[in-house]
Amino acid sequence: MIWPQVQLAPSLARVVRGVTFSQADAAGAPFEGGVPVLRAGNIQQQLITDRDLVWVNRAFVGGDQYLQRNDIVVCTSSGSATLVGKSAILKEEFEGTWGAFNAVVRSRPELLLPQYFSFWLSSEGFRFWKDRQVQGANIQNIRQSAIESIRLPLPTLPEQQRIVDVLQEVDALREAKQRAISLCDSLGKALFEEHFGIAGASTQWPMEPFGKHTTYSKYGPRFPDQSYSDTGIHVLRTTDMNADGTIRWWEAPKLALTEKQIREHALKPGTLVISRSGTIGPFALFDGKEDQCVAGAYLIEFGLADSIEPEYVRALFSTPYVQQMLRKAVRSVAQPNINAPNIQAIQIPVPPRDRQVVFSKHVRLLREWTKQVIDSARAFDSFGQAVVGEAFSGDLTSQWRQMHSEEIAEAARARDTLLRERGSGIALSVKPVATTSVQADPTVHPARHWLLGELSEFQRQVLAAFTTYCQTSGESLLVEDPDVFARFCDDAMVTERLQPFGTSHGNRIRRSLSQLAAVGLIAKVTLPKDDPETGERDYLKAFRPLRAEEFTRMADMQTLHKVLSTPANAQRYYFQVQVDHEASERAGADGMFQVISLEDGDGKDFTHLIDQGRHYASIDQLNLDLAAALKVPAAHIELEAE
């Protein structure tokens, strides 16, 4: 680490406790002499909202408990683990205060820019720190004294400002992509109204019961004796369905069902599934592009007749009219539920079939465009996190430092003088962590040393055990093969290292390996596995130690320069490619390869974009094929071959 590590309080900032009050002291609306209070729920994606505020009497609020511009609000206590540690900077004036479940960090701008610290709170460094500090079971919290004792990298003020400027540019690009996604959603609604008017309000189409256009209804099956597994068929839940009727099938858990169960229960293309209990209204259309899926027990599935277009049904069920009809059909208040006959009785407008077909063509084109926008936004989110990591390791501004060395030297003298005057302890560097299997190497990327130092002890032991195990076996660890993964977890060397943490760590080990891969300390790969009985080949997720040359992740500094020099509306794609040279050799295409799999940075499969039977002479040739499939310039696609 090239910068000193300095404790947050008291030299760099004050941490101010929020207002304590009882529920009886709070009001849900403004009153004379009342002060609005920010709560944990007001921190949204690094932004502060003023929705659902409460008001307390001014007598509860101390003089330093009124919010000031550039205050950083940090959630310190909540029943939700996802809320604890969330933070946002107050960019505008707000005449109010904050509750005791939040803390405010008020930086001393002569040493610490509030925007710099706000960005640091979104970094891996803070997340690793937070995971070790959160306490409690039902109510999770971080002690204020722990926040005060945070040690963070402290560049000079000019370099802090440079980092802030670049990260704000990245944020602006991310927000532009989110606006594009919102625009796609608005266009879908406008497209429906252009073709059919407002559902339920237009009288130009006949109203008919939905059941007239279904071929069957069926409740999702139950499998009470089976638990979710790493392999099998996806089981769709209410939470796997998007508001527009599409499915996040890759997030759905899996069950290892028999072939007979799959034949009986697997969803057919063109099936509508609707939530029937608890939350009423969520629905999705299974259109066959997804992996094999079955409906969960709290869903009802409907087969659609040829008299109605599936895309029209998907759009219709997302309208306020049908959503209201579903809520009206609810049979119970205590535990809301709805049955198939009540849904089939709902009156729906039925336009001419040819009009539905035209609409379907248009909406499919819009969905493809939306998918590209969403994929681009996801790739950019991963890229953004990588940039934040580079920012706080010093790599982001390395060239800038060389160009401004005199300015930085003068600012460093001023910074260090102030710190000495305030008696602040300074750690000039973070020593790399060295274990028997993860040795400090001066050639390793500086950010990797910092990451090693920030790992929890459990993560560090998993990394050491994994590295030794793979080096001994000479193979990658096939985590999606239950037998292989069980052998790893039961290995004497692994159990000895993890013995201080108790027993039965299978899921925790798998999660730690995924986290280590996400921050670039090990590599995630896809490996083939043949079934000896059927001869079928499957491709399973595996992890391997990094090779000597792998000192940076795919989203490195060159990517930053490309993105910052690319128009905000340009599409960029990042794929990891698993190639097979042997298959090409067997086919007589020596020196060429076929593509086994194609995944984005989040592990989402995009193999359907290319012809897997084609033999490629080079990665550049594959790049051109992908560019044609995605209708983007080849320069906007980054490929990493494995």
Side-chain angles (χ1 to χ4, degrees):
M1 183 67 68
I2 60 172
W3 304 310
Q5 300 281 304
V6 182
Q7 183 169 308
L8 181 64
S11 298
L12 304 183
R14 291 179 59 221
V15 182
V16 188
R17 193 180 302 278
V19 174
T20 302
F21 57 91
S22 68
Q23 189 173 354
D25 296 323
F31 62 89
E32 186 175 350
V35 177
V37 183
L38 290 180
R39 297 179 292 174
N42 296 111
I43 304 175
Q44 301 286 333
Q45 298 295 326
Q46 296 186 314
L47 296 173
I48 292 177
T49 70
D50 57 2
R51 297 195 300 270
D52 301 322
L53 296 171
V54 298
W55 278 258
V56 298
N57 193 292
R58 195 173 297 273
F60 285 95
V61 186
D64 60 351
Q65 290 178 315
Y66 285 95
L67 285 160
Q68 303 174 15
R69 189 177 180 187
N70 288 329
D71 276 352
I72 299 161
V73 186
V74 183
C75 175
T76 57
S77 183
S78 174
S80 170
T82 58
L83 278 179
V84 176
K86 286 187 69 174
S87 64
I89 187 169
L90 189 66
K91 298 179 180 179
E92 308 291 340
E93 297 293 339
F94 180 83
E95 296 183 4
T97 186
W98 65 97
F101 288 170
N102 292 332
V104 155
V105 177
R106 196 163 281 161
S107 74
R108 305 187 190 281
E110 66 273 18
L111 280 169
L112 177 66
L113 296 181
Q115 296 85 356
Y116 172 84
F117 182 63
S118 181
F119 277 119
W120 185 80
L121 290 173
S122 67
S123 71
E124 288 291 341
F126 175 71
R127 280 193 286 273
F128 278 125
W129 175 89
K130 184 194 76 170
D131 288 344
R132 296 199 298 270
Q133 295 295 329
V134 172
Q135 302 175 343
N138 295 330
I139 300 296
Q140 299 190 323
N141 62 83
I142 302 173
R143 291 176 289 108
Q144 178 171 318
S145 59
I147 295 178
E148 292 174 336
S149 66
I150 287 174
R151 301 187 77 87
L152 69 149
L154 189 70
T156 61
L157 285 181
E159 194 166 1
Q160 288 183 41
Q161 187 61 60
R162 174 62 179 172
I163 290 169
V164 167
D165 290 344
V166 175
L167 294 184
Q168 284 178 339
E169 181 71 17
V170 172
D171 267 0
L173 293 173
R174 182 187 290 110
E175 290 170 7
K177 290 180 179 294
Q178 292 303 316
R179 287 195 298 272
I181 293 173
S182 298
L183 176 61
C184 291
D185 183 54
S186 300
L187 286 174
K189 295 174 182 177
L191 190 62
F192 182 90
E193 292 183 9
E194 178 185 347
H195 282 79
F196 311 115
I198 299 175
S202 174
T203 58
Q204 57 182 320
W205 318 120
M207 301 293 287
E208 298 175 353
F210 173 61
K212 181 179 177 181
H213 301 279
T214 62
T215 56
Y216 72 90
S217 65
K218 176 183 173 184
Y219 293 88
R222 293 181 181 273
F223 303 99
D225 299 328
Q226 292 183 260
S227 301
Y228 292 143
S229 67
D230 292 332
T231 59
I233 187 170
H234 292 282
V235 181
L236 294 184
R237 306 160 299 178
T238 301
T239 52
D240 301 318
M241 301 189 296
N242 299 317
D244 63 352
T246 55
I247 298 171
R248 298 188 307 279
W249 56 267
W250 57 90
E251 294 183 3
K254 293 180 178 180
L255 280 179
L257 301 183
T258 65
E259 288 296 327
K260 179 181 177 183
Q261 289 172 320
I262 292 175
R263 285 195 303 271
E264 183 178 353
H265 299 296
L267 292 172
K268 301 177 180 63
T271 301
L272 184 74
V273 290
I274 300 177
S275 174
R276 68 178 178 88
S277 184
T279 305
I280 305 299
F283 73 98
L285 179 71
F286 182 82
D287 54 19
K289 296 177 183 177
E290 302 88 346
D291 273 3
Q292 277 192 310
C293 300
V294 299
Y298 290 101
L299 302 179
I300 310 176
E301 55 183 274
F302 295 93
L304 299 180
D306 292 338
S307 58
I308 198 164
E309 273 287 302
E311 286 291 358
Y312 171 71
V313 173
R314 189 192 331 240
L316 179 65
F317 269 72
S318 67
T319 63
Y321 166 73
V322 172
Q323 288 293 303
Q324 183 181 17
M325 292 298 101
L326 289 171
R327 289 190 291 272
K328 283 184 177 180
V330 170
R331 298 185 302 165
S332 170
V333 176
Q335 174 63 29
N337 62 81
I338 191 171
N339 61 27
N342 285 351
I343 295 175
Q344 290 173 313
I346 292 175
Q347 295 287 316
I348 62 170
V350 184
R353 182 65 193 279
D354 58 347
R355 198 177 189 93
Q356 295 180 38
V357 170
V358 172
F359 168 76
S360 296
K361 291 179 180 178
H362 290 169
V363 82
R364 287 191 192 102
L365 290 173
L366 176 60
R367 185 167 292 112
E368 285 299 315
W369 181 44
T370 303
K371 180 177 179 296
Q372 292 183 21
V373 173
I374 292 174
D375 288 345
S376 173
R378 285 175 179 159
F380 193 84
D381 282 343
S382 299
F383 160 76
Q385 285 300 318
V387 174
V388 171
E390 298 288 351
F392 296 106
S393 72
D395 294 334
L396 180 67
T397 45
S398 58
Q399 292 184 358
W400 184 89
R401 280 196 302 277
Q402 294 175 8
M403 297 169 59
H404 297 80
S405 56
E406 293 183 5
E407 179 186 1
I408 289 176
E410 183 178 346
R413 285 191 291 270
R415 175 199 62 196
D416 296 346
T417 299
L418 276 175
L419 289 173
R420 282 193 294 270
E421 289 174 355
R422 295 177 182 179
S424 177
I426 303 175
L428 293 179
S429 65
V430 175
K431 294 182 180 179
V433 174
T435 69
T436 55
S437 57
V438 185
Q439 298 295 327
D441 181 344
T443 65
V444 174
H445 199 277
R448 195 171 309 288
H449 279 161
W450 173 77
L451 282 172
L452 289 170
E454 293 296 320
L455 295 177
S456 69
E457 187 58 31
F458 184 85
Q459 290 169 323
R460 189 174 296 119
Q461 293 301 330
V462 169
L463 175 59
F466 165 80
T467 305
T468 302
Y469 185 87
C470 291
Q471 288 174 346
T472 302
S473 67
E475 298 178 348
S476 300
L477 177 60
L478 203 62
V479 293
E480 283 196 323
D481 185 313
D483 295 334
V484 172
F485 186 65
R487 284 198 298 273
F488 170 74
C489 293
D490 295 338
D491 185 86
M493 179 271 300
V494 176
T495 56
E496 181 181 353
R497 281 189 172 275
L498 300 182
Q499 187 270 336
F501 304 96
T503 59
S504 301
H505 293 299
N507 288 334
R508 190 177 178 188
I509 292 172
R510 184 181 284 105
R511 186 165 60 250
S512 292
L513 290 170
S514 295
Q515 291 166 346
L516 292 168
V519 298
L521 292 175
I522 63 177
K524 185 178 80 169
V525 296
T526 303
L527 297 178
K529 184 176 186 297
D530 295 325
D531 188 324
E533 295 182 1
T534 64
E536 294 182 356
R537 171 170 289 189
D538 200 0
Y539 294 92
L540 306 180
K541 180 172 70 176
F543 295 108
R544 62 166 171 77
L546 296 178
R547 301 187 182 109
E549 69 273 13
E550 293 176 315
F551 297 138
T552 60
R553 299 174 64 188
M554 183 167 58
D556 59 8
M557 284 306 300
Q558 291 181 359
T559 310
L560 170 65
H561 297 315
K562 290 178 183 177
V563 169
L564 292 183
S565 63
T566 301
N569 61 350
Q571 304 280 332
R572 300 201 67 84
Y573 298 88
Y574 307 89
F575 296 115
Q576 292 178 329
V577 188
Q578 183 76 24
V579 302
D580 186 348
H581 290 278
E582 294 180 1
S584 295
E585 278 185 27
R586 289 194 298 268
D590 292 351
M592 304 180 78
F593 63 86
Q594 289 183 314
V595 175
I596 297 174
S597 67
L598 184 72
E599 292 184 350
D600 68 2
D602 296 325
K604 186 177 177 182
D605 184 51
F606 282 85
T607 314
H608 63 277
L609 292 176
I610 52 105
D611 178 6
Q612 284 186 275
R614 179 173 178 181
H615 301 281
Y616 288 93
S618 68
I619 288 293
D620 290 340
Q621 191 179 53
L622 173 61
N623 192 308
L624 292 173
D625 269 14
L626 287 171
L630 293 169
K631 298 182 174 60
V632 298
H636 289 187
I637 298 175
E638 294 278 346
L639 298 178
E640 181 180 1
E642 297 178 347

